[in-house]
Amino acid sequence: FGGKPCLVVLTPEGAKRMSQREPLRPDDIRAFNAVCTHVDCTVKYRSDKGDIFCSCHDGVYDLNGRNISGPPPRPLETYKVTLRGDAGQEEIVVSRQT
C-alpha cells in the first residue's frame, strides 16, 4: 500500500485448521503494514515464537499488531483481510480498514 510492504500472517490456529483440512476463518489470517513504527525497518513473522519481530532494535509485536516489547512507540497499522471462494481454494484479499 502506497509503496510500503505488507505482511500477511497465517496464525497458528489457522495453520492447525489447514492441517486438519478445516475451512479457514477470517481471523486466521492477519495483515499489517510491515514497516516498524520505530525507525521504518521491515518487520517479519517469527512462526517459532508466534510474534512479529523487528531485527533493527529487537522490537516485538503480537499477532494483533500491538507493540509488546522493545522501542516501537505504536502498534503496526492493520489491514482488513477478506477470504473469498471455496474452502481450501480461498483467495486472500487485503484492504485498508474503513
Side-chain angles (χ1 to χ4, degrees):
F1 292 102
K4 294 182 180 176
C6 179
L7 176 67
V8 179
V9 176
L10 176 65
T11 65
E13 296 83 9
K16 182 178 178 182
R17 264 188 270 290
M18 282 185 71
S19 71
Q20 296 172 347
R21 300 190 181 267
E22 295 176 12
L24 288 175
R25 298 178 186 167
D27 198 41
D28 287 336
I29 299 174
R30 313 269 172 87
F32 308 94
N33 179 328
V35 177
C36 180
T37 60
H38 180 229
V39 289
D40 295 340
C41 295
T42 302
V43 299
K44 66 178 183 175
Y45 174 61
R46 298 190 299 186
S47 59
D48 59 323
K49 297 192 184 255
D51 64 16
I52 299 169
F53 180 69
C54 179
S55 61
C56 290
H57 299 104
D58 295 330
V60 181
Y61 300 87
D62 67 15
L63 291 185
N64 291 308
R66 293 183 295 241
N67 45 321
I68 56 174
S69 73
R74 296 178 306 287
L76 294 170
E77 179 182 3
T78 59
Y79 298 131
K80 180 180 177 184
V81 175
T82 305
L83 300 176
R84 294 185 190 161
D86 298 328
Q89 301 282 326
E90 297 94 346
E91 176 184 26
I92 300 168
V93 179
V94 177
S95 57
R96 290 197 185 268
Q97 298 282 2
T98 55

